[in-house]
Amino acid sequence: VQADGTDGSCVTFVLRDEDHTLGNALRYMVMKNPDVEFCGYCITHPSESKINFRIQTRGTGMRASFPFRKGLNDLMGVCQHVLDTFE
């Protein structure tokens, strides 16, 4: 985790052994949060299996780790729903 500033509202998370599959889905889930001003990711190099995932909140005092965790939990819920429906 690499944080900019002192309040933790703008943070870059490094996710190892991940690619566009998680990055794009997680970005979509995090951007649904109205307190998130910016969310994006990039793959550093095609031969490296890691992504830099950046979140910036709107200055409401919310730390970027909260929408990151919520996005992960929401994405797990959606995946579980799809799996249950499929089965």
Side-chain angles (χ1 to χ4, degrees), residues 1-12 54-56:
V1 176
Q2 177 183 0
D4 293 339
T6 58
D7 61 350
S9 65
C10 186
V11 177
T12 300
R54 186 165 186 87
I55 299 175
Q56 181 176 343

Side-chain angles (χ1 to χ4, degrees), residues 68-79:
F68 182 68
R69 286 185 185 144
K70 183 177 182 336
L72 286 170
N73 287 329
D74 291 349
L75 186 57
M76 286 192 314
V78 168
C79 291

Side-chain angles (χ1 to χ4, degrees), residues 26-71:
L26 183 58
R27 183 198 55 80
Y28 174 78
M29 297 306 281
V30 171
M31 280 304 295
K32 291 173 72 173
N33 187 333
D35 292 324
V36 174
E37 184 173 25
F38 173 80
C39 180
Y41 75 96
C42 68
I43 298 201
T44 56
H45 191 273
S47 66
E48 295 182 33
S49 59
K50 69 176 184 178
I51 62 175
N52 291 334
F53 195 86
R54 186 165 186 87
I55 299 175
Q56 181 176 343
T57 59
R58 292 193 188 276
T60 57
M62 177 184 288
R63 298 178 63 82
S65 60
F66 295 128
F68 182 68
R69 286 185 185 144
K70 183 177 182 336

